């Protein structure tokens, strides 16, 4: 009987030790670092309840929501954690901004960080440039980036390089003109060499067959008109294809630049 009592006391003491604040905080940190983000969120919810003034816990809670893709839950949680959006501490504010960006709520994100007092002027510039880049507003991004005070800022320098690359796009109008003069050249202009060569040979082949038929059988022979009609279809399609190929090239380029911007942003912040 005495042994049972001792065991009960030991387990009770052990249980209390497991669930004390410090051990719970360490467990929450472990869950976050080990990638168990949803469980980490539940643990930090409990911790924030017991320590409502701890900003580090609030930041980790918002981070757990973001990394577990519970974006809407994280966005809805901020007003519960902080009464005044403009006073949210930097770390929690950054996590909330990332949640809004992850939710593609760009307008709400910009309103939040522009009014928050704990983001520096350069932070606001960089965040606004990030928003512009992901919304394809590259002209606005260049104008905004010029407002940065620290010209050697790592993220600012990276964004400047991205914005310079964006100017080297292909012109759909030039592709159409090139395709009209030399079939297939518009596609080749956008690095689509294989389709360009196919367009050139098919269009030229149909034109040659049409000329040959007219020359051999006269203009009233149906063969020449059939070959000519097919050739005209290839010719017009080649112009459209040149424009489309150039637009596809530019879209892939923009996607690559946005991916690069995302990597820079996540490394910096």
């Amino acid at each position: 009987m005495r042994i049972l009592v001792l065991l009960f006391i030991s387990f009770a003491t052990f249980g209390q030790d497991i669930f004390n604040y410090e051990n719970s905080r360490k467990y929450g940190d472990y869950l976050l670092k080990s990638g168990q983000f949803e469980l980490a969120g539940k643990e930090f919810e409990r911790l924030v309840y017991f320590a409502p003034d701890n900003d580090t816990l609030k930041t980790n809670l918002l981070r757990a929501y973001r990394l577990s893709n519970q974006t809407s839950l994280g966005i809805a949680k901020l007003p519960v954690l902080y009464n005044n959006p403009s006073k949210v501490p930097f770390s929690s504010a950054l996590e909330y901004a990332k949640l809004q960006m992850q939710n593609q709520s760009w307008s709400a994100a910009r309103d939040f960080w522009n009014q928050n007092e704990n983001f520096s002027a350069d932070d606001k510039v960089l965040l606004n440039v990030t928003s512009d880049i992901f919304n394809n507003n590259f002209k606005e991004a260049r104008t905004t980036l010029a407002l940065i005070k620290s010209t050697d800022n790592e993220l600012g320098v990276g964004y400047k390089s991205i914005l310079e690359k964006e100017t080297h796009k292909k012109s759909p109008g030039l592709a159409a003109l090139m395709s009209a003069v030399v079939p297939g050249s518009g596609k080749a202009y956008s690095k689509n060499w294989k389709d360009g060569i196919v367009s050139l040979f098919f269009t030229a082949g149909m034109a040659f067959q049409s000329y040959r038929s007219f020359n051999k059988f006269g203009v009233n022979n149906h063969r020449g008109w059939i070959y000519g009609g097919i050739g005209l279809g290839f010719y017009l399609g080649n112009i459209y294809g040149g424009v489309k190929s150039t637009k596809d090239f530019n879209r892939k380029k923009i996607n690559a630049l946005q991916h690069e911007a995302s990597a820079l942003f996540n490394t910096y912040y």
Side-chain angles (χ1 to χ4, degrees):
M1 183 68 179
R2 185 180 298 175
I3 294 174
L4 290 174
V5 172
L6 288 173
L7 285 172
F8 175 78
I9 293 172
S10 298
F11 280 121
T13 304
F14 180 68
Q16 290 173 0
D17 187 57
I18 287 177
F19 293 108
N20 68 27
Y21 170 81
E22 187 59 28
N23 284 338
S24 292
R25 184 189 62 78
K26 289 179 180 178
Y27 181 55
D29 290 340
Y30 163 76
L31 291 171
L32 201 58
K33 290 177 181 177
S34 62
Q36 301 177 70
F37 303 125
E38 192 167 341
L39 288 175
K42 295 182 184 300
E43 190 66 20
F44 281 112
E45 283 175 357
R46 192 171 69 84
L47 285 163
V48 167
Y49 177 80
F50 287 110
D53 297 325
N54 190 313
D55 290 321
T56 300
L57 294 177
K58 293 177 183 179
T59 299
N60 285 339
L61 175 58
L62 292 173
R63 182 176 296 126
Y65 285 145
R66 176 173 62 85
L67 295 175
S68 62
N69 292 316
Q70 298 182 85
T71 312
S72 298
L73 183 58
I75 291 173
K77 193 72 174 180
L78 188 81
V80 178
L81 300 176
Y82 296 100
N83 294 325
N84 189 346
S86 66
K87 303 289 185 182
V88 178
F90 177 81
S91 295
S92 293
L94 183 60
E95 281 300 330
Y96 180 73
K98 288 182 176 181
L99 279 164
Q100 291 283 18
M101 294 162 76
Q102 185 170 287
N103 198 47
Q104 297 187 354
S105 303
W106 295 104
S107 179
R110 292 180 77 118
D111 288 343
F112 170 74
W113 63 56
N114 284 328
Q115 70 171 315
N116 186 273
E117 297 175 4
N118 293 302
F119 284 117
S120 70
D122 278 357
D123 283 324
K124 291 178 181 180
V125 168
L126 292 169
L127 288 165
N128 284 325
V129 172
T130 304
S131 173
D132 289 332
I133 288 175
F134 282 96
N135 283 285
N136 299 326
N137 297 326
F138 292 96
K139 183 178 180 180
E140 184 67 25
R142 278 185 278 273
T143 302
T144 305
L145 187 59
L147 301 175
I148 196 167
K149 296 177 181 177
S150 178
T151 54
D152 60 346
N153 177 279
E154 181 182 351
L155 183 57
V157 171
Y159 278 172
K160 184 178 179 181
S161 174
I162 287 173
L163 294 173
E164 286 175 353
K165 293 175 188 175
E166 189 273 334
T167 60
H168 304 302
K169 293 188 296 186
K170 303 294 184 181
S171 168
L174 179 58
L177 180 61
M178 292 174 67
S179 297
V181 175
V182 180
S185 60
K187 293 181 179 180
Y189 167 63
S190 58
K191 311 297 182 184
N192 195 352
W193 294 97
K194 184 178 179 180
D195 282 357
I197 292 171
V198 170
S199 293
L200 174 62
F201 276 99
F202 266 93
T203 305
M206 290 299 102
F208 175 75
Q209 289 294 343
S210 178
Y211 168 78
R212 184 182 177 189
S213 295
F214 283 139
N215 190 50
K216 186 174 181 180
F217 301 108
V219 295
N220 294 322
N221 186 270
H222 67 280
R223 293 182 184 178
W225 291 107
I226 291 174
Y227 285 128
I230 294 173
L232 179 63
F234 273 115
Y235 176 75
L236 295 176
N238 131 82
I239 295 175
Y240 170 78
V243 172
K244 184 178 182 300
S245 182
T246 302
K247 289 181 177 179
D248 288 344
F249 177 88
N250 288 338
R251 185 170 59 251
K252 289 177 183 177
K253 183 180 181 69
I254 294 302
N255 287 342
L257 291 177
Q258 289 174 336
H259 189 75
E260 183 181 344
S262 177
L264 286 171
F265 178 86
N266 289 325
T267 300
Y268 184 78
Y269 285 116

